[in-house]
Amino acid sequence: KTRGMAMPPGATSAVQASTWREQSEVECWLTKSAAEASCDVVDAALAVKLDGEDTVGRRNQFHYPVIDPDVADSPPCVYLCGNSLGLQPVNVSKYVNQELQRWSRGGVRGHFEGAGRHWAKIDDHVQGPMARVVGGLDSEIAVMNGLTTNIHLMFVPFYRPTPDRFKIIMEAKAFPSDRYIVESQVKFHGYDPAEAIVLISPRSGENTLRDEDILDVIAKEGARTALVFMPGVQYYTGQLFDMKSITAASHKQGCVVGFDLAHAVGNALLELHDWDVDFACWCTYKYLNAGPGAIAGVFVHERHGASDDALQRFAGWWGHDEESRFDMTRPFKAEKGARGFQQSNPPILQCVSLIASLEIFQEVGMAEVRRKSEQMSGYLLMLVERLLKGHVTPVTPREPHRRGCQISITFDR
């Protein structure tokens, strides 16, 4: 086996606790750093000092959008939209052009012949690096399709309702696509969404879910629940959920548990294998910087993927056993692990765009990404609260371990 947590030489292990538990700890660090720079914590001089001490930043490896794309000498903008679309890695154009050149000069031979990445083996270039980002074994990862499509495909084996267990637990304010998926799946299986979907809402007057409320709902509804389906990070508030505890509580009640990691992958430290998560899906165009509409990923725990016929699935030829895939034989024989859920050959240009980004993640390591994320989100939250007090109210949890890198605010006036 190859553990997804294995890091390249010199990189930091992804297994690391949060640096801070409270926002006050971040602000103490910032106050000390400001004193060393002989400036106030809200002065730009502090940011300059911290930039000078930074060992994680890879700004020169990304293209920054400009303020006005139609003006030739327009300066770069401040980009705070990575939760929607990540920046373009500098190597994307190089890698895409390499494949265009391979296609133009070699045609179909690019699948198996010539120097560089053979298209028929493109999965080998993305599977391991992606496993390191999400904390899985290489065999538990597949890169395929889009996020919504993959969630539907994962519901085939993992949402198997019975008259006694047919409910799905999810958060009430989930991203609309997740709600559409769940409602359509419940209807497809002949159940009424009003009865089959259990929604968890924040308490009155609160913006985020309390951990204990999530666990209480699982304990109360678990006996009749087939699937607990939650996000890793709430898309609107930026709340980071305790996926380890949710998984353990769900399994205790006999429920399958899956996560939509669209806003968590490349953002939070993930240990999907060790947490015993059944399945997870994510996109790669946000914090993974693979480009608009980029290819997505799935995780299927090795407990489910050890046998080629262990789970029901909607099969396709790229999920067939790799050794005999091009023999065009029947019947279908699933590739072991998550790759057995693939349907079509991966889009090469999307894959190499993803590779350009994953190389940067391999170089830095998720532990260092997360450490700096806590510093910068804590810094931004402090500035918002001090400089915009009375104008905006943060809705993201103040505790670093309960948020990703996103700070959400509401305008008071």
Side-chain angles (χ1 to χ4, degrees):
K1 298 177 183 178
T2 302
R3 277 307 306 270
M5 303 314 301
M7 299 300 295
T12 306
S13 168
V15 184
Q16 175 178 308
S18 296
T19 308
W20 294 297
R21 299 290 292 180
E22 301 293 338
Q23 173 67 11
S24 59
E25 298 176 74
V26 187
E27 296 185 11
C28 284
W29 167 72
L30 290 167
T31 300
K32 179 180 178 182
S33 297
E36 293 171 353
S38 300
C39 67
D40 192 271
V41 290
V42 298
D43 291 344
L46 175 56
V48 172
K49 175 183 184 296
L50 296 177
D51 278 346
E53 298 170 350
D54 178 50
T55 61
V56 177
R58 298 294 190 276
R59 187 180 180 94
N60 64 346
Q61 295 186 33
F62 294 91
H63 292 294
Y64 273 74
V66 296
I67 293 175
D68 187 346
D70 295 325
V71 176
D73 58 351
S74 181
C77 68
V78 175
Y79 195 77
L80 298 176
C81 299
N83 64 309
S84 180
L85 180 65
L87 298 176
Q88 181 186 128
V90 169
N91 279 339
V92 164
S93 58
K94 172 185 173 182
Y95 290 176
V96 168
N97 284 328
Q98 286 175 349
E99 302 311 321
L100 292 176
Q101 181 79 352
R102 197 185 325 278
W103 178 22
S104 69
R105 293 183 61 82
V108 72
R109 290 174 293 180
H111 284 294
F112 295 104
E113 300 176 15
R117 308 174 190 91
H118 292 168
W119 300 333
K121 294 286 187 179
I122 195 68
D123 295 299
D124 295 341
H125 296 275
V126 293
Q127 188 177 29
M130 185 67 79
R132 285 185 276 275
V133 171
V134 301
L137 307 180
D138 286 9
S139 62
E140 294 173 325
I141 307 301
V143 175
M144 61 190 206
N145 307 316
L147 174 57
T148 297
T149 298
N150 284 340
I151 296 174
H152 274 298
L153 291 175
M154 290 296 101
F155 270 53
V156 174
F158 291 112
Y159 179 54
R160 309 293 290 180
T162 68
D164 294 326
R165 278 187 182 271
F166 61 91
K167 294 186 177 183
I168 298 177
I169 295 175
M170 65 183 303
E171 59 148 342
K173 297 185 178 182
F175 189 75
S177 192
D178 284 357
R179 187 69 175 267
Y180 305 154
I181 292 166
V182 172
E183 289 182 355
S184 64
Q185 286 283 341
V186 164
K187 290 178 181 178
F188 176 78
H189 286 280
Y191 293 94
D192 179 359
E195 183 181 5
I197 301 175
V198 179
L199 299 174
I200 310 176
S201 299
R203 297 186 186 185
S204 178
E206 298 183 358
N207 295 302
T208 58
L209 293 171
R210 297 192 187 189
D211 293 340
E212 60 268 28
D213 290 349
I214 298 173
L215 301 182
D216 285 347
V217 171
I218 294 172
K220 178 182 177 181
E221 300 285 350
R224 301 202 68 194
T225 297
L227 174 64
V228 175
F229 182 60
M230 294 285 291
V233 170
Q234 215 283 338
Y235 84 99
Y236 186 80
T237 66
Q239 178 181 5
L240 172 61
F241 291 105
D242 186 349
M243 289 171 271
K244 181 179 180 180
S245 295
I246 291 171
T247 302
S250 301
H251 286 169
K252 184 178 180 180
Q253 296 296 322
C255 310
V256 174
V257 59
F259 290 97
D260 177 346
L261 301 179
H263 292 263
V265 69
N267 176 6
L269 282 178
L270 302 172
E271 305 286 350
L272 299 183
H273 177 84
D274 290 345
W275 293 341
D276 207 25
V277 172
D278 292 295
F279 75 92
C281 303
W282 57 89
C283 54
T284 64
Y285 52 79
K286 300 179 186 294
Y287 300 114
L288 290 184
N289 313 292
I295 195 167
V298 301
F299 166 91
V300 178
H301 198 282
E302 68 169 346
R303 291 184 290 105
H304 305 296
S307 173
D308 60 10
D309 60 355
L311 294 176
Q312 296 292 325
R313 70 194 73 202
F314 290 160
W317 83 298
W318 211 254
H320 187 88
D321 175 54
E322 185 178 8
E323 295 300 317
S324 58
R325 179 183 299 153
F326 285 88
D327 295 341
M328 307 301 175
T329 57
R330 293 189 300 270
F332 176 80
K333 179 184 178 184
E335 175 76 1
K336 296 291 196 301
R339 284 196 194 183
F341 292 90
Q342 291 177 296
Q343 295 180 321
S344 302
N345 50 318
I348 299 302
L349 301 185
Q350 291 187 31
C351 285
V352 296
S353 294
L354 175 58
I355 288 169
S357 178
L358 289 176
E359 288 176 346
I360 302 171
F361 278 89
Q362 284 187 281
E363 179 184 335
V364 176
M366 274 306 302
E368 284 296 283
V369 170
R370 176 61 179 168
R371 180 185 63 81
K372 186 175 180 182
S373 168
E374 290 184 354
Q375 292 177 352
M376 294 188 71
S377 59
Y379 190 2
L380 176 60
L381 180 59
M382 181 202 70
L383 292 175
V384 166
E385 291 181 332
R386 296 197 181 194
L387 299 180
L388 300 177
K389 185 176 181 180
H391 297 276
V392 302
T393 300
V395 299
T396 303
R398 300 191 81 256
E399 303 89 345
H401 70 282
R402 295 186 62 237
R403 64 175 182 244
C405 60
Q406 170 184 336
I407 300 296
S408 298
I409 60 175
T410 57
F411 288 85
D412 300 330
R413 62 175 78 176

